[in-house]
Amino acid sequence: MWATAVLADPTGTKYSLQTLTERAYENDAELAGSEWRVKGAVARQRQARAGSLLPRLRLHSIAGLVPDAKGDVFNPPSDTTGIRGLGPFNQSELEFVQPLYTFGQLSSLRRAAKAGVDVERAALADKRLQVAFDVGQLYYGILLFWDLSDLVKRLTGELEEKQDEIEDEVDLPLSGPFKLRLALLDLEKQRAQVAERSRLTIAALALKTGLPEDSPIELAEERLLPLATVVPALEHLQNLAQQRPDWRMLNSGILARKALRDAAKSAYYPQIFLAGGLRYAVAPNRTDQHNPFVKDEFNLFSGGVFLGLRQSFEWDMLGAGLDKARAELFELKSIEAMAARGIRLDVGRAYGKYEEAAIGMASAEEARHLSRQWLRLARDEYEFDPGQIKELISAFESFAKTEQEYHQSIFDYNVSLARLERVVGGPLVAEEEEE
């Protein structure tokens, strides 16, 4: 079979639509970028959470050599030359800051970070839907070209057989052999077109799924069949579309910017915090001073905890930050109502395409049935009277046209369902097969 030769995989691996879609998820560069953006948003959420519990907890420690210093303020060293021995020392300091009350600033930043994660996850889901739609369109396209190539091969073989039969016929009309030859030439042209389109589609699918470019692909399905899917009513689909990723992304973005606006408002108020720490230093070659009025930075131990308040008075800067946060919030809210109407319009348009494709497929199937009946009668007439070759060729041409339109209608129907799922934002329910 000509099409099988093009699509056969020498390794014997057969790829289903689901398998190819999973491979495309792993191979798509933009999808990988979206996954990393989700991880970045999760990391920012962790940072926002960490800001509520000991956002500053640090230990600073240094060590080195320091000159000897024995004695105290009443008994200084007898050596006044300034040249003394050296000894080791260590200084360590532990400090912490714990926010107590920030008038909602930290909680607002946490809400903004959480909504930011939801935005990136929705963007990732939207990209996955687009990848699945692209792979499905290529998958159905290959099956379409497979069926068309089989059709062209069958028709070519039968017409060539008729050509051999009429070479010795003398009672045929003058136009009979010419019409037959022209039909064969048209089939050869179609065969070349189908082969080229099939090659390009297979190459595109290989690129999308990460398969070797020069490796043929064998699909799990051998024929293009209409999908068995339950399509709900338009109103129900429009309600389902409220869960589509881009709508969720918009809503999460609005929540994030509301939280950032609230954080900008909180910046006007003071921040109350608890702070403190410990300081420790030791130098064995120096006398530890116990006089509270004498300080030696190389021998000490101290610590404390205090309550603090931080208030910003940069009113102009704070006001500009709040205005910026408000502008970004209302920028999204201004498109919210239009986006809701646009989603309903998108679903309605996709549903209309689905209904059009379903009617077209039913009409193509009826036309296919009629052309087959015509071809059957034309064959019988030709067997009885070879002079009816013109009628047979016309029947062949009608059969080829209706068969091609039928396979194309199945492709259009399947793609319309895939597009409807893409617009709604999730898979539709498949029909259960009867036992």
Side-chain angles (χ1 to χ4, degrees), residues 70-139:
K70 295 295 185 179
D72 53 36
V73 67
F74 299 107
N75 298 291
S78 58
D79 184 3
T80 59
T81 62
I83 302 176
R84 298 189 295 271
L86 300 175
F89 80 94
N90 175 265
Q91 291 180 339
S92 298
E93 181 176 1
L94 176 67
E95 59 178 341
F96 73 90
V97 175
Q98 172 58 51
L100 296 181
Y101 192 72
T102 62
F103 290 88
Q105 187 176 52
L106 291 179
S107 61
S108 296
L109 292 177
R110 288 195 301 270
R111 293 200 313 273
K114 180 180 181 302
V117 173
D118 294 337
V119 168
E120 296 300 338
R121 284 177 174 165
L124 175 62
D126 188 68
K127 181 60 183 175
R128 286 174 67 91
L129 284 175
Q130 184 60 46
V131 169
F133 173 74
D134 293 342
V135 173
Q137 198 169 20
L138 293 171
Y139 185 87

Side-chain angles (χ1 to χ4, degrees), residues 47-64:
Q47 287 180 327
R49 289 174 177 172
S52 300
L53 179 63
L54 293 176
R56 185 180 182 91
L57 179 62
R58 299 178 181 178
L59 175 65
H60 180 70
S61 180
I62 59 174

Side-chain angles (χ1 to χ4, degrees), residues 10 13 56 74 110 143 209 231-232 250 258 291 323 348 387:
T13 303
R56 185 180 182 91
F74 299 107
R110 288 195 301 270
L143 290 175
T209 57
V231 179
L250 176 61
K258 280 183 178 178
N291 188 331
D323 289 343

Side-chain angles (χ1 to χ4, degrees), residues 295-326:
K295 184 177 181 181
D296 183 4
E297 294 291 341
F298 298 99
N299 278 298
L300 61 87
F301 179 78
S302 64
V305 177
F306 57 87
L307 189 66
L309 182 145
R310 183 182 297 109
Q311 173 66 61
S312 176
F313 293 103
E314 296 91 357
W315 307 122
D316 193 44
M317 292 290 292
L318 295 177
L322 179 57
D323 289 343
K324 178 176 178 291
R326 283 173 175 166

Side-chain angles (χ1 to χ4, degrees), residues 132-324:
F133 173 74
D134 293 342
V135 173
Q137 198 169 20
L138 293 171
Y139 185 87
Y140 299 136
I142 292 176
L143 290 175
L144 171 64
F145 298 139
W146 190 328
D147 288 344
L148 291 180
S149 63
D150 285 346
L151 173 63
V152 171
K153 183 177 177 63
R154 292 199 314 270
L155 292 175
T156 301
E158 189 162 352
L159 289 180
E160 286 178 347
E161 181 181 344
K162 300 302 181 186
Q163 186 180 34
D164 294 336
E165 292 178 1
I166 67 174
E167 286 182 353
D168 298 329
E169 293 289 342
V170 295
D171 297 330
L172 293 177
L174 182 63
S175 62
F178 293 99
K179 287 182 66 68
L180 183 58
R181 182 59 184 161
L182 288 172
L184 285 170
L185 289 174
D186 185 63
L187 286 175
E188 283 296 324
K189 178 183 176 181
Q190 293 185 32
R191 181 172 182 170
Q193 291 175 345
V194 170
E196 179 62 15
R197 293 169 66 186
S198 177
R199 184 187 67 81
L200 293 176
T201 306
I202 291 173
L205 184 62
L207 178 63
K208 194 77 175 176
T209 57
L211 293 172
E213 293 183 7
D214 299 331
S215 175
I217 301 175
E218 184 177 1
L219 303 182
E221 299 179 65
E222 296 182 355
R223 296 177 56 200
L224 179 61
L225 299 174
L227 296 174
T229 305
V230 177
V231 179
L234 175 58
E235 183 177 357
H236 182 65
L237 289 174
Q238 289 173 332
N239 293 331
L240 287 177
Q242 299 302 315
Q243 298 300 317
R244 57 188 255 173
D246 55 349
W247 178 251
R248 290 189 282 114
M249 186 164 51
L250 176 61
N251 287 331
S252 297
I254 291 174
L255 291 177
R257 293 191 176 180
K258 280 183 178 178
L260 291 176
R261 180 204 57 188
D262 294 340
K265 286 182 179 179
S266 300
Y268 279 96
Y269 300 98
Q271 297 184 16
I272 302 173
F273 60 91
L274 192 69
L278 293 173
R279 296 182 64 197
Y280 175 74
V282 59
N285 62 331
R286 301 171 67 91
T287 301
D288 188 7
Q289 305 296 319
H290 298 287
N291 188 331
F293 300 103
V294 177
K295 184 177 181 181
D296 183 4
E297 294 291 341
F298 298 99
N299 278 298
L300 61 87
F301 179 78
S302 64
V305 177
F306 57 87
L307 189 66
L309 182 145
R310 183 182 297 109
Q311 173 66 61
S312 176
F313 293 103
E314 296 91 357
W315 307 122
D316 193 44
M317 292 290 292
L318 295 177
L322 179 57
D323 289 343
K324 178 176 178 291

